[in-house]
Structure formats: C-alpha cells, structure tokens
Amino acid sequence: MPVASLLLQIEHGGNSLEIKSVSVSQINQYIKKLIDSNGVLSNFWISGEISNFKHHYYGHIYITLKDEQSVLKAVMFKSFADELGFEPEDGMKVLARGRLSVYEAAGTYQFYIEEMIPDGKGYFQEKFERLKKRFEDEGLFDELNKKNIPDFPEKIGVCTAITGAAVQDIINVVSRRFPISEIIIYPTIVQGTNAAASICKAIEWFNKNNAADVLIVGRGGGSIEDLWAFNEENVAYAIYNSDIPIISAVGHETDFTIADYVADLRAPTPSAAAEIAVPDKEELLDRISVLTDRLWGIISSQIEHSRLLVSHLKPTNPKDVIYGYSVKNDYLLKQLEDLINLKINKLCGEFSAAVSGLNALSPLSVMSRGYAIAHDSKGKIYKSSKDLNPGTEFMLKFHDGEVNCKVKEINQG
Amino acid sequence: MSFEDKLKELEEIVDKLDGGNVSLEESIVLFEKGVKLSKACQRILNSAEKKVNVLMSDESGNVSKVKFTETEE
C-alpha cells in the first residue's frame, strides 16, 4: 500500500470520527521494504566502537555499535562470525561491512554484519598476529636454524637507510669498540611500498657476493605502519634463507617485527646490534694484559724451580768436581796407608812378641844363661845324674862350645 | 694471521705453559712466541682506524664500494 495513499483523516463536526490507519505490521513492513530496496544500505562499511558485546552460545555475535552521539544495534551470524580474525572487545574500534535491515517483529532496524576488522592500529595488530602465527607454524622462528654470530667479524654488512640515526649509531659503536671491522653499508629503503623489496635486495646482495661475516638489518623507531616492511613475507624468507648470520634491529626496545623473530639474533636498537656484533677493544686489551702477566708468572716460577733443582748439586763447576774427587781420593789413600801400617805394626808387634817368647824358651838363650847340656858321644842327652857313673866320659855342651868331661864324683841331692 | 687467530694462539700458549708438562727449553720458546703475539695484538687494537664504506650502484647495476662520508643533515 503506497504511503501516498494512506490518509489520516479526522472529520470534525457531526457525531462520528473516521480515521484511516495502517497497522503496526504494515508500517514495519513498509519501512523494511523501503530500506531493503535501497542499494546503498544493502552493502556498506560502517565504523564504530563495540559495546555490549555478547557472544551467543549458538555462535551469533550481538554488538551495539556506537559513536559519540548515538548507537546502532548490530548482529553477526555464526557463519560470518566464525571467519573473524580477532577477538572483538568492548571499546574496540572496528570497521564492519554489512547491510541495514529491519527486524519487523521488534520494530527496530539493525545492522547485519558480514565482515569485521579492527580499525586503525588494531588492524595492523591483528594482521601482525596472523603473520606471526603463520611463520611460526612454518618453522621460520626455530632456534635450531639460528646461526651463531661470529666473535671477530672482519666485515659487517649494514642494511638500513643511508641517512638517519640508525646508521650513524652503528658506525659510532663499531668505531669505538672494534675499528678493526670494516663496515659496509647497503643503502636500503626502510619505509613505504618499496621497502620490503629493498631490504630483500640488500640481504641477497651480501649473500650472493659473500661480502660480510654478519649483517645488521634494521631501522630507527616508528609506528607499526612505519615498521611494516619488516613484517612482509619476502623479508621474512630473505632473512631465513640468508647464509650470513643476521642481527635484526628494528625500531625501539618494545617493537617486535617478524624480522626480529626470524633473525639469528634480535637487538632492541641499532646501537645494541653493533655492540652484539663486535667485541670491545678495552676488554680485549685487558684480556691480553692478563694473559701476558700469566706468561711472565709461569716462566718466572719455572726458571726459579729449575734453579733450585740445579743448586742442590754442589759443586757445579766440573773442575771443582774433579778436584773434589781427587781430594777424596787422597784422603782415602791415606786412610788405606794408615790402616795398612797399623796392621803391619800390629803384626810386627805380635811377631816380635812371638819371637821373644820363642827366644826365651830357646835352648840357646837358656844355655847362654849358664846352663849346659850333658850328652854322650852319640848325642844322647843325660837328663839325670843317675844316668852317670864315676869315671864315665861325657860331653858338656855349652852355648859356645863343647867340653870333654870325666865324672869324678856323684852327689844326689 | 688474523687478529682472532693471534689471540687464540696466545691463549693456547698460556694454557699449555700452565699445564706444567713443558720442559724449560720449550717453555722459553713458547714464552717468547707468546710475548710476540701479545705485543702484536695490542698493536693491532691500538692502531686500527675505522673503515666505513658505502655500496653504490651505477646505471648498469654494477655495485662498487665507496668510502662513506658522513653527510650533514
């Protein structure tokens, strides 16, 4: 029933009041038709803030979208809600695509959501979480794939913008700590649509030409959109496939990008990356100093030890040794002589004594004292006076001769 | 020999001498070598000057290394 034909008439006067009216349902039906027939309202994007979020157990989502001045009821049926890539929350700003329609039974109109994404920062946040999960599942973050950063890199490849604080910080830190390393800068675009490709090109160039021992890939601070190139798929793979170890240094301490997860090591800032990449000159000089002290210490104690060993042999001069031996030799000879003399004297003494003894007993010495031996002409010795008779002739042997004798008289007594 | 190799050798010499099973003769030889290495390492560290180069590519895409001059912004 066209609206135009609906008339509300009130006839005054007379006794009857005739009002032409439409029913509630008719009005609601009419409005629904009106709205459904509007092409714009059947598919458009709306931005608003979530409030009164309810997740029905059937899977449908009910939201009241609002802005500063008014509200709009919205519903997202399960089949659409299942595709959501984030968890809606009260207070979250969203962009929702869908259609406006009338719920006749309640006499309300509401927004039927088919697609919903976080608005502003939330959009990137959600996208980042999705990418992070995907690459993690693919194994791009695995610890086992991470390479060690060399201790003393001869060449450091730097993939960052040629202007700005990041490159300057890296140069300053390396120059201070370990100027032995050569810094090679590959000027890289680090923001905008060309950034991802530029970063990949830089990493691939260093790899292809084997031009560095370690790479620092990064940039200074910025918003999540500014840093977005370091979340791109091609950058993730370029870092993953790099044979040269990579230290990522993107943004500030609290910023994390996919590049940070894939890299062999993540530094919170470009300066920190440079500190990780090279050792400190002063620490190395200390280390060398300690080693040198140890050298001196060891050699000194070793010489002292050897000297002590040698000093226990006295004398050390060969001449002295020989002299020592000859002195000893003389001494020994003398001792031998003395011993022999002693022995000889002793023997002589004994001999003399023996001889004297013999002498004392010898008949000759007895005879020299006055004793004579009486014997007959045959030499038989007269030992007793009884063996003789007066008138017998016998010999008397004195020590110095013999005498012929005749017995005169025998006296026994 | 690179700086890294020199430093490593110095450390090996000190460890060997510390071990104690080295004759006096060999100790003196190692000691002299160690002192030489120590001096060389110190010299390298103290005399090194920073080397910063930038890669420039020309129209045909050839890349060359050029000394980096800090630009004033």
Side-chain angles (χ1 to χ4, degrees), chain A residues 182-183 185 292 294 302, chain B residues 18 22 27 38 51 53 55:
Chain A
E182 181 193 352
I183 300 170
I185 305 167
T292 312
R294 275 173 74 190
Q302 201 152 357
Chain B
D18 225 357
V22 189
S27 295
S38 156
K51 306 177 249 318
N53 291 313
L55 296 163

Side-chain angles (χ1 to χ4, degrees), chain A residues 66-369:
Chain A
K66 64 177 202 166
D67 61 18
E68 292 84 21
Q69 282 136 346
S70 58
V71 302
L72 176 65
K73 279 197 161 55
V75 61
M76 193 174 192
F77 292 129
K78 176 176 157 58
S79 54
F80 294 114
D82 286 347
E83 299 298 307
L84 273 179
F86 71 105
E87 267 303 307
E89 278 171 22
D90 283 348
M92 220 184 225
K93 285 202 171 60
V94 290
L95 290 169
R97 180 185 62 78
R99 61 188 172 87
L100 197 75
S101 191
V102 173
Y103 184 32
E104 288 175 67
T108 59
Y109 63 90
Q110 59 184 359
F111 187 63
Y112 293 82
I113 303 173
E114 285 164 29
E115 196 184 327
M116 185 158 62
I117 52 175
D119 194 7
K121 188 159 188 256
Y123 166 77
F124 287 102
Q125 203 57 45
E126 184 253 340
K127 199 167 175 192
F128 173 73
E129 294 298 331
R130 252 192 299 127
L131 285 168
K132 185 178 165 198
K133 182 164 194 312
R134 175 190 149 196
F135 291 128
E136 191 169 8
D137 290 345
E138 280 180 35
L140 261 60
F141 303 169
D142 283 350
E143 283 299 320
L144 291 170
N145 283 318
K146 298 204 189 289
K147 297 173 270 297
N148 287 326
I149 311 294
D151 290 325
F152 299 92
E154 286 178 16
K155 300 203 186 92
I156 303 171
V158 178
C159 307
T160 193
I162 194 70
T163 54
V167 72
Q168 207 51 58
D169 287 345
I170 292 171
I171 292 172
N172 289 342
V173 170
V174 173
S175 305
R176 174 174 46 85
R177 280 168 71 90
F178 199 67
I180 294 172
S181 293
E182 181 193 352
I183 300 170
I184 303 171
I185 305 167
Y186 192 110
T188 308
I189 303 168
V190 292
Q191 189 165 325
T193 44
N194 298 321
S198 177
I199 297 165
C200 292
K201 198 157 164 232
I203 294 171
E204 280 153 11
W205 186 89
F206 278 110
N207 272 279
K208 184 156 158 245
N209 294 286
N210 200 16
D213 303 306
V214 67
L215 298 181
I216 298 177
V217 176
R219 52 156 290 155
S223 66
I224 189 169
E225 295 109 295
D226 292 337
L227 308 180
W228 195 259
F230 294 88
N231 290 323
E232 296 279 11
E233 177 179 349
N234 48 355
V235 170
Y237 282 113
I239 294 173
Y240 182 73
N241 290 320
S242 170
D243 290 324
I244 304 173
I246 294 182
I247 304 172
S248 69
V250 183
H252 293 313
E253 276 87 346
T254 50
D255 293 318
F256 276 84
T257 58
I258 302 293
D260 292 315
Y261 291 109
V262 183
D264 299 292
L265 203 59
R266 180 222 173 221
T269 60
S271 299
E275 275 175 34
I276 292 169
V278 293
D280 181 34
K281 184 171 75 177
E282 294 305 320
E283 278 176 26
L284 287 172
L285 284 168
D286 280 345
R287 190 162 140 196
I288 293 168
S289 210
V290 166
L291 287 166
T292 312
D293 285 346
R294 275 173 74 190
L295 265 181
W296 280 99
I298 294 168
I299 205 74
S300 300
S301 67
Q302 201 152 357
I303 289 176
E304 194 48 43
H305 179 68
S306 299
R307 197 207 307 275
L308 276 172
L309 281 178
V310 167
S311 74
H312 282 137
L313 307 165
K314 46 182 182 197
T316 52
N317 187 343
K319 273 201 193 152
D320 291 345
V321 175
I322 292 169
Y323 179 71
Y325 280 137
S326 73
V327 164
K328 199 165 185 181
N329 205 32
D330 289 346
Y331 176 69
L332 286 172
L333 279 172
K334 175 112 194 347
Q335 283 207 307
L336 197 61
E337 269 178 25
D338 289 347
L339 270 174
I340 291 172
N341 285 339
L342 218 74
K343 194 86 182 174
I344 289 175
N345 287 341
K346 186 164 175 229
L347 286 171
C348 284
E350 286 172 11
F351 185 66
S352 299
V355 165
S356 301
L358 272 176
N359 268 350
L361 296 169
S362 138
L364 281 177
S365 68
V366 171
M367 281 160 65
S368 61
R369 290 206 293 278

